[in-house]
Amino acid sequence: MVGQDLEVQLASGEARRYVNLDFAASTPAMQPVVDTVLSLLPWYASVHRGTGYASQVTTRAYEAARVAVAAFVGARSTDEVIFVRNTTEAINLLARCITLRPEQVVLSTGLEHHSNMLPWRRLAKVVYLDPPPDSDALLMAVKRALDDRSRPVGIVAVTGASNVTGEVLPISEIAWLAHEHGALVAVDAAQLAPHRPIDMVAMGIDCVAISGHKMYAPFGAGALIAPSAVLHDAEPMLAGGGAVTYVTLDDVQWAPAPDRLEAGSPNVIGAVALAAAATALQEIGFEHIAAHERRLLAYLDGRLDDLPHVTRLRLWNGAGVDRLGLSTFVLDGTHHALAAAVLSAEHAVGVRHGCFCAHPYITHLLGVSIADAHTIRERLRRGEHRDIPGAVRASFGIGTTVEHIDRLVDGLTALCEHGPRLQYVEDADTGDYRPVDDRRMLPRFALLPQLELAGISAGCGQF
Ligand SMILES: Cc1ncc(COP(=O)(O)O)c(C=O)c1O
């Protein structure tokens, strides 16, 4: 993994080996991905339009990337791979391409990331299922909602795994129920794709969205994979060059998908990086990836449970629940933003804190009352980010070790037993904490202006 041996500074100025436990937000780059990108770069030239040798290489590499991504998700020959920036863009694009009948609704859950909530609201009324106590209850709720003829479901839009608590959802079973009722199934696989195999055919998934930066390929590309019948007649989200077959001064003939939905010069490097990551993950083997993560997760959960002031947030308990490599928790008496700041400034451990772009779900998990939620909303509207409820999330993947988990737990133990070693101030604009005496210097990158230390804070939007 690139950056595996990174040394960073503590607020005191001392150097420490960095522990990255924020994979669920963005993973580091995988070395084979970077090697593939570097090997392509000398050949990089215009894509699709050039007749030169290098243009031919670039075009072939871009199209080969589609084939690799299709294979990665087990797509049908009738599916299209559309390269986009990320899962958010993929879901927005899909929601725009789908046509529902006026009476049809979208069925979804209260667990979703905002990126799998908000785009669907633009398409139709969305019916959300409450976070269920177990996966059987989820399936029963899905069935009940599908059976309700007063609001026929056109599409079931569901995450493959929660980015807040890591539970893997029973996608195959949901898809089976949806298809029995004539509904399509769209899976937000931003979290699932780097950790578990996806097989659109075997699992009955119609449409799937993935992000390169969450699967060890942070080069700005993601993909939507969906039946060409769904995408075929859609009005393009972006209008422009490359998406057309013919243009007159008062008319346009759109090209078939995928070109129709990829106007403008595509991100060839990002697409190739995504494809390289997809291939590398398959070569490592998901059985190894999942086994490694399950071992570490059991260790992390056990160590967190031994800390008296730490409470893990869980949706489903019990044996047989498959969870990705992440644990989200709250600390008695310590605000999540302060805990994350202490882990970074005093222990060189990087985690995420806040609400993880899943306000309805985190509100449910934290038991925030409707009245409190209303107050929070009003405070955020006024730009007050202090003391907003939330949690800390530690997430990991390939390359994470027991030592990394120990460093996190040692940091939390010190914090719970003695409080922060340094003095911190809260930034009223962002709700983040920073040490009063912060000696950290940020690295200098050639051709970039010197980075400001203020940039190290998480910035607005944590909630
Ligand atoms: C479950 C889930 N869906 C969607 C997204 C959005 O992904 P992106 O930011 O790559 O568009 C995320 C990002 O955290 C996520 O965890």
Side-chain angles (χ1 to χ4, degrees):
M1 217 52 70
V2 178
Q4 181 88 346
D5 297 326
L6 202 62
E7 288 231 320
V8 302
Q9 283 180 307
L10 303 177
S12 62
E14 285 168 82
R16 277 279 186 293
R17 180 69 58 84
Y18 187 55
V19 172
N20 181 350
L21 291 176
D22 198 13
F23 280 47
S26 281
T27 53
M30 222 194 263
Q31 193 60 53
V33 171
V34 175
D35 293 344
T36 305
V37 165
L38 289 176
S39 66
L40 178 67
L41 275 177
W43 303 94
Y44 180 74
S46 67
V47 63
H48 284 156
R49 287 173 278 272
T51 52
Y53 189 93
S55 291
Q56 300 284 325
V57 172
T58 301
T59 301
R60 296 291 186 285
Y62 186 61
E63 294 307 322
R66 268 191 232 285
V67 175
V69 169
F72 177 70
V73 295
R76 297 151 286 246
S77 58
T78 47
D79 289 329
E80 299 288 351
V81 174
I82 313 292
F83 286 117
V84 290
R85 287 181 305 152
N86 48 37
T87 298
T88 305
E89 188 173 319
I91 298 171
N92 273 276
L93 176 60
L94 179 62
R96 205 188 143 100
C97 290
I98 299 241
T99 312
L100 296 183
R101 294 195 306 274
E103 71 279 14
Q104 284 183 313
V105 299
V106 177
L107 179 62
S108 192
T109 77
L111 313 182
E112 307 300 321
H113 188 280
H114 299 158
S115 292
N116 197 33
M117 280 194 160
L118 304 180
W120 298 111
R121 294 184 192 174
R122 292 181 167 176
L123 172 68
K125 178 180 164 51
V126 184
V127 174
Y128 295 107
L129 302 175
D130 288 336
D134 54 43
S135 76
D136 286 346
L138 171 64
L139 292 173
M140 265 153 50
V142 168
K143 183 166 175 353
R144 258 196 316 276
L146 287 163
D147 281 340
D148 183 348
R149 282 162 190 249
S150 70
R151 44 179 200 197
V153 175
I155 183 161
V156 179
V158 69
T159 190
S162 162
N163 65 310
V164 179
T165 44
E167 283 87 358
V168 175
L169 272 68
I171 294 298
S172 306
E173 290 85 345
I174 292 173
W176 192 83
L177 288 171
H179 290 164
E180 243 197 339
H181 291 76
L184 288 172
V185 176
V187 175
D188 166 359
Q191 293 297 336
L192 192 67
H195 304 288
R196 298 290 184 274
I198 297 172
D199 185 333
M200 291 177 77
V201 174
M203 296 165 84
I205 299 170
D206 296 295
C207 314
V208 68
I210 57 176
S211 285
H213 74 100
K214 290 193 194 288
M215 42 187 286
Y216 310 97
F219 288 84
L224 168 67
I225 304 95
S228 77
V230 167
L231 307 176
H232 198 60
D233 296 325
E235 182 77 5
M237 192 156 79
L238 293 178
V244 300
T245 51
Y246 193 67
V247 176
T248 65
L249 288 181
D250 58 5
D251 198 14
V252 51
Q253 191 173 294
W254 300 110
D259 293 354
R260 148 194 218 100
L261 301 171
E262 290 184 355
S265 297
N267 175 3
V268 177
I269 297 298
V272 166
L274 178 59
T279 307
L281 286 167
Q282 285 172 303
E283 279 175 6
I284 295 168
F286 276 106
E287 65 284 12
H288 293 300
I289 293 171
H292 167 71
E293 291 174 1
R294 284 188 187 119
R295 262 195 309 275
L296 278 184
L297 185 64
Y299 182 66
L300 171 62
D301 284 351
R303 294 225 51 200
L304 290 176
D305 288 346
D306 286 343
L307 296 178
H309 300 290
V310 168
T311 307
R312 285 193 292 123
L313 302 182
R314 295 285 303 270
L315 179 64
W316 298 338
N317 284 302
V321 173
D322 190 15
R323 266 172 61 227
L324 304 183
L326 68 87
S327 249
T328 293
F329 52 88
V330 290
L331 292 90
D332 288 350
T334 308
H335 192 262
H336 54 91
L338 177 60
V342 170
L343 287 170
S344 172
E346 300 181 22
H347 303 279
V349 174
V351 293
R352 168 111 191 246
H353 75 91
C355 293
F356 319 110
C357 296
H359 294 176
Y361 186 30
I362 199 88
T363 304
H364 166 85
L365 290 167
L366 293 173
V368 175
S369 69
I370 292 174
D372 284 349
H374 182 71
T375 313
I376 293 167
R377 182 179 157 155
E378 286 312 307
R379 281 175 43 210
L380 286 169
R381 201 196 295 283
R382 291 196 298 270
E384 294 168 17
H385 288 261
R386 281 173 185 269
D387 288 334
I388 296 297
V392 178
R393 179 182 72 191
S395 58
F396 56 82
I398 299 172
T400 306
T401 63
V402 165
E403 189 218 329
H404 294 152
I405 306 287
D406 286 342
R407 287 268 307 274
L408 167 75
V409 176
D410 291 348
L412 289 171
T413 307
L415 175 60
C416 292
E417 286 179 2
H418 312 294
R421 250 188 297 138
L422 306 173
Q423 230 193 320
Y424 291 79
V425 279
E426 188 185 3
D427 181 330
D429 291 337
T430 65
D432 279 320
Y433 285 77
R434 52 176 35 263
V436 173
D437 180 16
D438 197 344
R439 303 193 183 167
R440 285 175 288 186
M441 304 284 292
L442 296 183
R444 178 158 192 102
F445 297 100
L447 304 184
L448 265 189
Q450 177 62 47
L451 309 180
E452 296 289 333
L453 191 59
I456 211 168
S457 86
C460 290
Q462 279 298 302
F463 185 69

